């Protein structure tokens, strides 16, 4: 874009280090800011941080304002590193660009522009006010951090992350199909952290029958809004004694079916379950999006995984590879996925790899993150 410097500054490594600090701060708002993005900000004079801040909760002050308040008069002539373009509109809070200009900041560094046509335009206002602007530092990391936010501005479906815990041979259940933990405590805590950032958590009917999961967030800070539970159950065979049905009045629960059997649907509705009729998985995702689901975490099992993968509806695949062996007859994780999809998974770019106890978590990018041009 004309007038926006892409690689301005004498020391890109210095810019990268401060932006990474801003990204770390942004994560402090995990689970609290949706539908707004996670944003962090750092105010720097010379080589010293004089103010830091992050967007702590939806409806509260934005990261830039918190960082500038912490910096006080030291913000005059300083550089502001912020993980998303400062907003230029009056929403629940005043425009951040006004605060940046009023503070006397001389330079602003961002990874990526805001995709929102309403909030976008901050960089033009800053440039008009004489503030130098640099765009592109740590761009890919910033996109991954707020993938669901960027996707929501161009898609009619949620950003879908599929999580699977696999045995050493790549299976999700033993020959007897009895439920058992594959991943360790550290991995399971990370999954609950992932749940805290999701608008909804989805499983198939088989997982409900085998595991009777609660699909709630535990062992990590509670999210601002508890994620909705979603069960894909084409013929409404979910047990009425299932935990997600018994607690449907406490935590929103949706059962996705192909057609409504009136007696079965009525019983579920009486229990507080919302029955959603969808002609396909894609149709179900579009309806979930219309209900406010922007980030969907899918936790299995093999049939649901194969269906979503075969329809190319999964954006990120997160695999917790464990050392547990399940032996002969184990259920392959991707046994319901086509050979083409399995090849795509094998060749997908890896965006993150981390170790949790004895498990290795790998995140593969099956689709790029949609983003407005800089």
């Amino acid at each position: 874009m004309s007038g926006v410097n892409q690689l301005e500054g004498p020391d890109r490594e210095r810019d990268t280090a401060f932006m990474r600090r801003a990204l770390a701060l942004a994560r402090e708002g995990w689970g609290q800011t949706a539908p707004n993005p996670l944003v962090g900000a750092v105010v720097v004079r010379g080589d010293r941080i004089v103010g830091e801040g992050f967007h702590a909760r939806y409806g509260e002050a934005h990261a830039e304002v918190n960082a500038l308040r912490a910096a006080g008069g030291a913000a005059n002539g300083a550089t502001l590193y912020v993980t998303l373009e400062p907003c230029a509109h009056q929403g629940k809070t005043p425009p951040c660009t006004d605060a940046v200009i009023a503070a006397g900041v001389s330079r602003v560094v961002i990874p990526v522009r805001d995709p929102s046509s309403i909030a976008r335009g901050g960089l033009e206002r800053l440039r008009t006010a004489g503030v130098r602007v640099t765009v592109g530092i740590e761009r890919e990391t910033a996109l991954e951090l707020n993938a669901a936010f960027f996707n929501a501005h161009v898609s009619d479906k949620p950003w879908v992350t599929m999580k699977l815990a696999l045995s050493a041979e790549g299976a999700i259940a033993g020959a007897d199909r009895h439920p058992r933990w594959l991943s360790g405590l550290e991995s399971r805590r990370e999954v609950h952290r992932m749940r805290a950032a999701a608008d909804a958590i989805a499983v198939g009917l088989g997982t409900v029958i085998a595991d009777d999961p609660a699909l709630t967030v535990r062992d990590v800070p509670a999210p601002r809004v508890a994620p909705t539970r979603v069960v894909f159950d084409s013929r409404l065979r979910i047990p009425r004694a299932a935990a997600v049905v018994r607690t449907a009045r406490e935590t929103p629960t949706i059962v996705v079916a192909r057609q409504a059997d009136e007696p079965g649907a009525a019983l579920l509705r009486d229990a507080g379950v919302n029955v959603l009729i969808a002609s396909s998985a894609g149709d179900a995702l579009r309806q979930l999006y219309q209900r406010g689901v922007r980030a969907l975490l899918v936790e299995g099992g093999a049939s649901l995984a194969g269906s979503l993968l075969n329809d190319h509806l999964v954006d990120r695949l997160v695999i917790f590879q464990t050392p547990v062996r399940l032996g002969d007859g184990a259920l392959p994780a991707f046994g319901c996925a086509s050979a083409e999809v399995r090849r795509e998974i094998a060749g997908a770019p890896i965006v993150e790899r981390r170790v949790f106890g004895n498990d290795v978590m790998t995140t593969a990018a099956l689709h790029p993150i949609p983003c407005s041009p800089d």
Side-chain angles (χ1 to χ4, degrees):
M1 175 174 289
S2 175
V4 176
N5 298 315
Q6 296 291 332
L7 297 172
E8 181 185 309
D11 190 350
R12 186 179 178 89
E13 290 184 4
R14 176 178 176 278
D15 283 351
T16 297
F18 287 126
M19 185 58 72
R20 287 177 178 171
R21 174 57 186 163
L23 287 162
L25 287 166
R27 295 183 181 93
E28 293 294 318
W30 191 266
Q32 307 302 319
T33 66
N36 285 353
L38 294 164
V39 182
V42 175
V43 183
V44 177
R45 282 185 69 93
D47 289 321
R48 186 169 67 91
I49 294 176
V50 295
E52 295 184 334
F54 62 93
H55 185 32
R57 192 174 178 85
Y58 177 72
E60 296 183 2
H62 288 187
E64 302 95 312
V65 172
N66 288 330
L68 291 169
R69 285 174 180 166
N76 187 40
T79 297
L80 172 67
Y81 294 84
V82 60
T83 58
L84 186 68
E85 175 185 15
C87 63
H89 79 301
Q90 174 72 48
K92 288 186 176 293
T93 60
C96 290
T97 48
D98 291 357
V100 174
I101 294 167
V105 168
S106 63
R107 178 175 177 241
V108 172
V109 182
I110 66 166
V112 63
R113 300 206 61 179
D114 196 314
S116 168
S117 59
I118 297 174
R120 190 180 172 92
L123 296 196
E124 286 81 1
R125 289 182 61 177
L126 291 171
R127 177 163 49 85
T128 299
V131 179
R132 292 181 297 141
V133 176
T134 300
V135 181
I137 303 295
E138 290 294 285
R139 173 187 169 89
E140 295 307 315
T141 303
L143 285 171
E144 286 292 335
L145 180 65
N146 286 306
F149 171 75
F150 287 102
N151 181 72
H153 285 83
V154 299
S155 178
D156 62 351
K157 296 186 290 294
W159 182 257
V160 177
T161 300
M162 178 176 290
K163 182 279 301 181
L164 296 171
L166 307 188
S167 69
E169 42 299 64
I172 60 173
D176 58 9
R177 303 301 190 258
H178 289 168
R180 60 171 295 185
W181 290 114
L182 294 179
S183 55
L185 288 173
E186 297 94 334
S187 295
R188 298 203 289 274
R189 188 173 188 277
E190 175 62 13
V191 171
H192 280 277
R193 194 188 72 88
M194 293 169 63
R195 286 181 176 184
D199 297 314
I201 306 164
V203 296
L205 174 64
T207 297
V208 172
I209 292 174
D211 300 342
D212 193 24
L215 299 181
T216 55
V217 178
R218 304 181 297 279
D219 303 322
V220 298
R224 185 178 67 88
V225 179
T228 297
R229 288 95 58 94
V230 179
V231 179
F232 283 79
D233 175 15
S234 60
R235 290 183 288 168
L236 294 178
R237 293 180 294 135
I238 187 169
R240 304 308 181 260
V244 292
V245 176
R246 288 187 287 103
T247 60
R249 296 195 184 280
E250 302 166 18
T251 304
T253 303
I254 297 173
V255 173
V256 179
R258 287 291 178 93
Q259 53 187 341
D261 165 69
E262 277 309 316
L267 288 172
L268 287 173
R269 292 189 181 104
D270 286 345
V273 174
N274 194 328
V275 178
L276 185 156
I277 307 304
S279 59
S280 65
D283 179 33
L285 293 186
R286 281 185 285 272
Q287 291 192 54
L288 289 173
Y289 181 92
Q290 291 166 6
R291 294 169 185 240
V293 176
R294 299 294 180 264
L296 177 66
L297 177 63
V298 178
E299 296 196 13
S303 178
L304 178 59
S307 175
L308 294 174
L309 287 166
N310 287 338
D311 287 346
H312 302 283
L313 296 172
V314 177
D315 300 296
R316 290 292 178 271
L317 178 62
V318 180
I319 293 176
F320 288 86
Q321 188 73 58
T322 78
V324 175
R325 291 200 164 273
L326 293 175
D328 295 340
L331 178 63
F334 303 113
C336 297
S338 69
E340 176 190 359
V341 165
R342 293 197 296 272
R343 286 192 296 270
E344 290 175 358
I345 292 172
I350 303 302
V351 296
E352 185 180 26
R353 185 172 277 120
R354 297 168 64 189
V355 176
F356 292 92
N358 294 322
D359 308 329
V360 177
M361 183 193 82
T362 302
T363 302
L366 303 188
H367 294 137
I369 300 169
C371 180
S372 54
D374 294 333

